[in-house]
Amino acid sequence: MEDVLMTQQQQTDSYVQATNSIHLVDGEKGGVGKSLFCRVLLEYCITKGLSDCIEFVESDLSNPDVGKIYFTDEEGVKHYIEAEFTNEDKKRSSADIVFELAAKKSVIVNLPSNIYSSVTAWFDRNKILTLAKEKNVQICKWFVCNGGNSSIEKFKESVNDEKIKDITHIFVRNQVIFDDWTIIEKDKDLAEILARENVFQMDFPQFSFEERNRVDAGQLTFSKALAEGSGFGILSKQRIKNFLNATYAGLDKLNLLP
């Protein structure tokens, strides 16, 4: 385990922070915890005082829950940018705003499920990897995995795809859903992939069902859940803080955000 941690630290230390970065929050399958993880990423940026350094793009247009919770005011006015990754000729340029924004700030993109082919096609036809090198933009894909075989196979497919092979992948082990990650030790192909220089790992720690359910049902940011008068008790708030702090510790170690 120490060797694995040292390798992870060496990878992090060798990471050169680009001028700006694009953070694609992915999971490919529905129900893997992608939206929850994206909300924690945004909460992290707010807590760390990075709000002015990032733009948020909602591309899950069928269920824009992250945009609704974090960037929609009480009157229902949206304060976020929408983009669609699609292969339809008339809409192909919709996702271009992601790279345009990255010329000025780092960008967090909430991706919908089942979008892999459209995203990789956007990379390929626009030569995004070449352009990113020219513009000094780092591209990261945070792949939230629920431990299921199909989820792991989708991660492998993404990492091995020639169209996006040079982007930084982060394998996010969602312990909220699945807590027996010894599967990594049993999957030699996955272990080999995770040892690559441009692949990182982090744990998305367990989060108690009661608090998770109440935060989701109330469409609350974590800051609102922790605020005075939110209706959450002392210990309930402490469980939320413990969850956030554990996740933040993982994000701090990676040091991939602005």
mmCIF file of all heavy atoms in Angstrom, residues 75 123 136 138 142 148 154 165 172 187 193-194 197 225 230 258:
data_model
loop_
_atom_site.group_PDB
_atom_site.id
_atom_site.type_symbol
_atom_site.label_atom_id
_atom_site.label_comp_id
_atom_site.label_asym_id
_atom_site.label_seq_id
_atom_site.Cartn_x
_atom_site.Cartn_y
_atom_site.Cartn_z
ATOM 1 N N GLU A 75 -35.635 33.072 -8.034
ATOM 2 C CA GLU A 75 -36.617 33.398 -9.069
ATOM 3 C C GLU A 75 -36.545 32.425 -10.240
ATOM 4 O O GLU A 75 -37.279 32.550 -11.220
ATOM 5 C CB GLU A 75 -36.400 34.823 -9.593
ATOM 6 C CG GLU A 75 -36.895 35.917 -8.654
ATOM 7 C CD GLU A 75 -36.014 36.052 -7.422
ATOM 8 O OE1 GLU A 75 -34.771 35.983 -7.573
ATOM 9 O OE2 GLU A 75 -36.558 36.209 -6.317
ATOM 10 N N PHE A 123 -13.620 15.870 -29.303
ATOM 11 C CA PHE A 123 -12.165 15.936 -29.170
ATOM 12 C C PHE A 123 -11.491 15.688 -30.511
ATOM 13 O O PHE A 123 -10.578 16.415 -30.909
ATOM 14 C CB PHE A 123 -11.672 14.892 -28.164
ATOM 15 C CG PHE A 123 -11.617 15.371 -26.748
ATOM 16 C CD1 PHE A 123 -12.731 15.316 -25.929
ATOM 17 C CD2 PHE A 123 -10.438 15.888 -26.212
ATOM 18 C CE1 PHE A 123 -12.683 15.760 -24.614
ATOM 19 C CE2 PHE A 123 -10.365 16.333 -24.908
ATOM 20 C CZ PHE A 123 -11.502 16.269 -24.104
ATOM 21 N N ASN A 136 -1.958 25.796 -23.659
ATOM 22 C CA ASN A 136 -1.552 25.469 -22.286
ATOM 23 C C ASN A 136 -2.757 25.220 -21.381
ATOM 24 O O ASN A 136 -2.855 25.748 -20.272
ATOM 25 C CB ASN A 136 -0.684 26.583 -21.707
ATOM 26 C CG ASN A 136 0.108 26.110 -20.492
ATOM 27 O OD1 ASN A 136 0.409 24.925 -20.346
ATOM 28 N ND2 ASN A 136 0.434 27.040 -19.602
ATOM 29 N N GLN A 138 -4.885 22.287 -19.459
ATOM 30 C CA GLN A 138 -4.873 20.913 -18.971
ATOM 31 C C GLN A 138 -6.299 20.362 -18.991
ATOM 32 O O GLN A 138 -7.240 21.063 -18.604
ATOM 33 C CB GLN A 138 -4.331 20.859 -17.542
ATOM 34 C CG GLN A 138 -4.328 19.482 -16.913
ATOM 35 C CD GLN A 138 -3.234 18.585 -17.474
ATOM 36 O OE1 GLN A 138 -2.279 19.082 -18.072
ATOM 37 N NE2 GLN A 138 -3.378 17.303 -17.278
ATOM 38 N N TRP A 142 -12.703 13.342 -14.553
ATOM 39 C CA TRP A 142 -12.981 12.725 -13.265
ATOM 40 C C TRP A 142 -14.012 11.636 -13.509
ATOM 41 O O TRP A 142 -15.197 11.928 -13.703
ATOM 42 C CB TRP A 142 -13.495 13.768 -12.281
ATOM 43 C CG TRP A 142 -12.556 14.907 -12.049
ATOM 44 C CD1 TRP A 142 -12.351 15.986 -12.860
ATOM 45 C CD2 TRP A 142 -11.678 15.088 -10.928
ATOM 46 N NE1 TRP A 142 -11.408 16.825 -12.317
ATOM 47 C CE2 TRP A 142 -10.971 16.307 -11.133
ATOM 48 C CE3 TRP A 142 -11.425 14.346 -9.766
ATOM 49 C CZ2 TRP A 142 -10.037 16.791 -10.231
ATOM 50 C CZ3 TRP A 142 -10.494 14.834 -8.861
ATOM 51 C CH2 TRP A 142 -9.805 16.038 -9.091
ATOM 52 N N GLY A 148 -18.987 -1.515 -10.315
ATOM 53 C CA GLY A 148 -19.575 -2.528 -11.177
ATOM 54 C C GLY A 148 -18.696 -2.821 -12.377
ATOM 55 O O GLY A 148 -17.914 -1.967 -12.812
ATOM 56 N N LYS A 154 -16.030 0.772 -18.791
ATOM 57 C CA LYS A 154 -16.157 2.083 -19.439
ATOM 58 C C LYS A 154 -14.943 2.958 -19.129
ATOM 59 O O LYS A 154 -14.475 3.715 -19.980
ATOM 60 C CB LYS A 154 -17.435 2.782 -18.961
ATOM 61 C CG LYS A 154 -18.719 2.196 -19.517
ATOM 62 C CD LYS A 154 -18.824 2.400 -21.020
ATOM 63 C CE LYS A 154 -20.152 1.914 -21.555
ATOM 64 N NZ LYS A 154 -20.250 2.080 -23.040
ATOM 65 N N LYS A 165 -6.211 9.941 -25.275
ATOM 66 C CA LYS A 165 -5.219 9.233 -24.465
ATOM 67 C C LYS A 165 -4.326 10.154 -23.644
ATOM 68 O O LYS A 165 -3.777 9.747 -22.615
ATOM 69 C CB LYS A 165 -4.347 8.350 -25.355
ATOM 70 C CG LYS A 165 -3.457 9.119 -26.331
ATOM 71 C CD LYS A 165 -2.559 8.194 -27.131
ATOM 72 C CE LYS A 165 -1.632 8.989 -28.049
ATOM 73 N NZ LYS A 165 -0.723 8.096 -28.792
ATOM 74 N N VAL A 172 -12.265 7.795 -9.728
ATOM 75 C CA VAL A 172 -12.906 8.156 -8.467
ATOM 76 C C VAL A 172 -13.666 6.941 -7.939
ATOM 77 O O VAL A 172 -14.676 6.535 -8.506
ATOM 78 C CB VAL A 172 -13.866 9.350 -8.645
ATOM 79 C CG1 VAL A 172 -14.506 9.725 -7.306
ATOM 80 C CG2 VAL A 172 -13.125 10.547 -9.240
ATOM 81 N N ASP A 187 -8.003 -7.253 -10.682
ATOM 82 C CA ASP A 187 -8.096 -6.901 -12.099
ATOM 83 C C ASP A 187 -6.741 -6.376 -12.566
ATOM 84 O O ASP A 187 -6.399 -5.212 -12.373
ATOM 85 C CB ASP A 187 -9.187 -5.837 -12.285
ATOM 86 C CG ASP A 187 -9.522 -5.591 -13.749
ATOM 87 O OD1 ASP A 187 -8.601 -5.670 -14.579
ATOM 88 O OD2 ASP A 187 -10.692 -5.304 -14.043
ATOM 89 N N ILE A 193 -3.429 0.031 -15.681
ATOM 90 C CA ILE A 193 -3.895 1.341 -16.111
ATOM 91 C C ILE A 193 -3.698 2.381 -15.004
ATOM 92 O O ILE A 193 -3.236 3.498 -15.246
ATOM 93 C CB ILE A 193 -5.385 1.279 -16.515
ATOM 94 C CG1 ILE A 193 -5.530 0.559 -17.854
ATOM 95 C CG2 ILE A 193 -5.996 2.672 -16.596
ATOM 96 C CD1 ILE A 193 -6.963 0.260 -18.247
ATOM 97 N N LEU A 194 -4.030 2.001 -13.772
ATOM 98 C CA LEU A 194 -3.936 2.938 -12.652
ATOM 99 C C LEU A 194 -2.494 3.308 -12.312
ATOM 100 O O LEU A 194 -2.259 4.282 -11.583
ATOM 101 C CB LEU A 194 -4.629 2.345 -11.419
ATOM 102 C CG LEU A 194 -6.143 2.170 -11.541
ATOM 103 C CD1 LEU A 194 -6.704 1.468 -10.302
ATOM 104 C CD2 LEU A 194 -6.834 3.508 -11.747
ATOM 105 N N GLU A 197 1.257 7.158 -15.826
ATOM 106 C CA GLU A 197 1.677 8.485 -15.372
ATOM 107 C C GLU A 197 0.549 9.508 -15.383
ATOM 108 O O GLU A 197 0.497 10.407 -14.532
ATOM 109 C CB GLU A 197 2.819 8.978 -16.271
ATOM 110 C CG GLU A 197 3.597 10.130 -15.697
ATOM 111 C CD GLU A 197 4.853 10.404 -16.485
ATOM 112 O OE1 GLU A 197 5.729 9.528 -16.557
ATOM 113 O OE2 GLU A 197 4.930 11.502 -17.049
ATOM 114 N N ALA A 225 -27.015 23.448 3.747
ATOM 115 C CA ALA A 225 -27.323 22.381 4.700
ATOM 116 C C ALA A 225 -26.623 22.620 6.034
ATOM 117 O O ALA A 225 -27.145 22.271 7.098
ATOM 118 C CB ALA A 225 -26.931 21.028 4.128
ATOM 119 N N SER A 230 -31.019 25.515 9.092
ATOM 120 C CA SER A 230 -31.251 24.596 7.977
ATOM 121 C C SER A 230 -32.145 23.423 8.353
ATOM 122 O O SER A 230 -32.678 22.730 7.491
ATOM 123 C CB SER A 230 -29.912 24.058 7.455
ATOM 124 O OG SER A 230 -29.299 23.227 8.434
ATOM 125 N N PRO A 258 -7.900 24.466 -9.835
ATOM 126 C CA PRO A 258 -7.190 25.759 -9.957
ATOM 127 C C PRO A 258 -6.472 26.169 -8.678
ATOM 128 O O PRO A 258 -6.958 25.912 -7.581
ATOM 129 C CB PRO A 258 -8.327 26.750 -10.279
ATOM 130 C CG PRO A 258 -9.379 25.911 -10.899
ATOM 131 C CD PRO A 258 -9.307 24.587 -10.223
#
